[in-house]
Amino acid sequence: MIEEFKKTAEFILQGLNYHPQIGIVLGSGLGGLGDKIKADKAIDYKDIPNFPISTVDGHKGQLLLGSLGNKKVVAMQGRFHYYENYNMSQLTFPIRVMKFLGIEILIVSNASGGINPNFSAGDIMIIRDHINNFPENPLRGYNYHELGPRFPDMSKTYDSELIARTKRIAENNGIKLQEGVYIGSPGPTLETPAEYKMFRIWGADATGMSTVPEVIVAHHMGIRVLGLSIITNTDKPATPDGETTHDEVQNVAGEAEPKMTKIITDLINEL
């Protein structure tokens, strides 16, 4: 596996004279941030050795390398999910590769359902912690000590300095931020009312079908992590029939994206 990570990283870096400092994962409806990146290179996932292919609407399926603000970045326009029938090694493969590209910070974003009754659709939530509700852990199996320890401590998974900077940037720009716990589940069904209630009892503030495996793998490798969720729906759907649709999720994420873009761009500029 180590050789696959290295070979894929070498392929991606061909023709570039730098290593990206920051990795970004853009979730459902959030791929537009990629338009702000001055790309030196754009590669379709299908053309990258060993990469999975994104099959979800709203995920462009492209890797960008270039500049955002004054930093060199690598950005995934679309991610991979457990419900797409990828195993944990496959869906976290790009995060492993990012380590060999040279990143030290990973910014992950997602569209999520709000559980906290104080949240509204369109809110942005800083992830301060998460709950892994997937049926397995991405570190299950043989541990490569070159990547990280067998039993990584998870008490400080989300970087406190990055969170503090993000909160200050949002406040300076008049952007309201929520803060809470994200629970990741396999999907692809959206939550039942009983599941919403159960997740809230467990201590979750927002729920989604991604992010947690990526963050676990990044933390395992010593990468500093910042997580941001756009609350695209709540347990009280806005549609007349009481259902939440994927189109609704993408639309709300698209409306909130300029605020997310401003926060991430300003953060990267001051790092």
Side-chain angles (χ1 to χ4, degrees), residues 5-31:
F5 303 146
K6 291 179 178 179
K7 288 180 180 178
T8 301
E10 288 170 2
F11 172 86
I12 293 169
L13 291 172
Q14 286 177 5
L16 299 177
N17 60 359
Y18 62 83
H19 292 265
Q21 303 154 284
I22 299 169
I24 307 171
V25 180
L26 301 169
S28 296
L30 299 170

Side-chain angles (χ1 to χ4, degrees), residues 62-139:
Q62 193 174 60
L63 192 73
L64 300 179
L65 293 101
S67 302
L68 183 60
N70 57 11
K71 296 293 188 299
K72 296 298 185 182
V73 303
V74 54
M76 293 178 63
Q77 287 188 294
R79 57 153 52 90
F80 311 108
H81 303 81
Y82 194 77
Y83 62 74
E84 294 175 87
N85 205 29
Y86 290 123
N87 62 42
M88 285 292 181
S89 294
Q90 291 172 310
L91 67 88
T92 59
F93 184 85
I95 309 301
R96 295 293 196 192
V97 171
M98 282 187 182
K99 175 69 173 180
F100 288 90
L101 292 177
I103 72 163
E104 298 176 353
I105 293 173
L106 178 69
I107 300 172
V108 291
S109 66
N110 61 54
S112 64
I115 303 172
N116 189 312
N118 296 319
F119 289 3
S120 301
D123 284 351
I124 297 176
M125 184 190 84
I126 293 177
I127 303 175
R128 71 166 183 268
D129 201 352
H130 71 235
I131 298 170
N132 182 15
N133 193 44
F134 287 89
E136 61 176 301
N137 189 295
L139 303 186

Side-chain angles (χ1 to χ4, degrees), residues 12-241:
I12 293 169
L13 291 172
Q14 286 177 5
L16 299 177
N17 60 359
Y18 62 83
H19 292 265
Q21 303 154 284
I22 299 169
I24 307 171
V25 180
L26 301 169
S28 296
L30 299 170
L33 176 62
D35 297 334
K36 303 294 183 181
I37 296 173
K38 295 179 181 178
D40 299 311
K41 196 171 187 179
I43 319 172
D44 289 339
Y45 291 163
K46 63 180 177 60
D47 297 325
I48 301 176
N50 305 308
F51 247 60
I53 298 173
S54 183
T55 65
V56 184
D57 290 341
H59 291 249
K60 194 170 183 179
Q62 193 174 60
L63 192 73
L64 300 179
L65 293 101
S67 302
L68 183 60
N70 57 11
K71 296 293 188 299
K72 296 298 185 182
V73 303
V74 54
M76 293 178 63
Q77 287 188 294
R79 57 153 52 90
F80 311 108
H81 303 81
Y82 194 77
Y83 62 74
E84 294 175 87
N85 205 29
Y86 290 123
N87 62 42
M88 285 292 181
S89 294
Q90 291 172 310
L91 67 88
T92 59
F93 184 85
I95 309 301
R96 295 293 196 192
V97 171
M98 282 187 182
K99 175 69 173 180
F100 288 90
L101 292 177
I103 72 163
E104 298 176 353
I105 293 173
L106 178 69
I107 300 172
V108 291
S109 66
N110 61 54
S112 64
I115 303 172
N116 189 312
N118 296 319
F119 289 3
S120 301
D123 284 351
I124 297 176
M125 184 190 84
I126 293 177
I127 303 175
R128 71 166 183 268
D129 201 352
H130 71 235
I131 298 170
N132 182 15
N133 193 44
F134 287 89
E136 61 176 301
N137 189 295
L139 303 186
R140 177 175 174 268
Y142 183 81
N143 184 69
Y144 295 90
H145 294 287
E146 182 179 345
L147 299 177
R150 170 76 281 186
F151 302 107
D153 180 87
M154 301 295 290
S155 61
K156 298 178 181 178
T157 306
Y158 296 86
D159 190 273
S160 58
E161 181 189 351
L162 295 178
I163 290 174
R165 286 175 180 263
T166 300
K167 292 166 74 172
R168 177 174 48 76
I169 289 168
E171 183 178 357
N172 290 344
N173 286 278
I175 299 173
K176 177 185 176 183
L177 280 185
Q178 304 283 9
E179 189 173 349
V181 176
Y182 174 92
I183 184 168
S185 300
T189 54
L190 300 181
E191 294 75 16
T192 67
E195 288 168 340
Y196 267 117
K197 183 177 181 180
M198 178 181 68
F199 291 167
R200 184 60 182 154
I201 291 171
W202 285 359
D205 296 286
T207 175
M209 306 172 193
S210 66
T211 302
V212 171
E214 298 159 337
V215 170
I216 291 173
V217 165
H219 185 68
H220 178 242
M221 296 185 293
I223 297 171
R224 299 169 64 194
V225 176
L226 174 71
L228 297 169
S229 296
I230 290 181
I231 307 300
T232 54
N233 58 284
T234 68
D235 60 345
K236 300 176 179 61
T239 55
D241 59 7

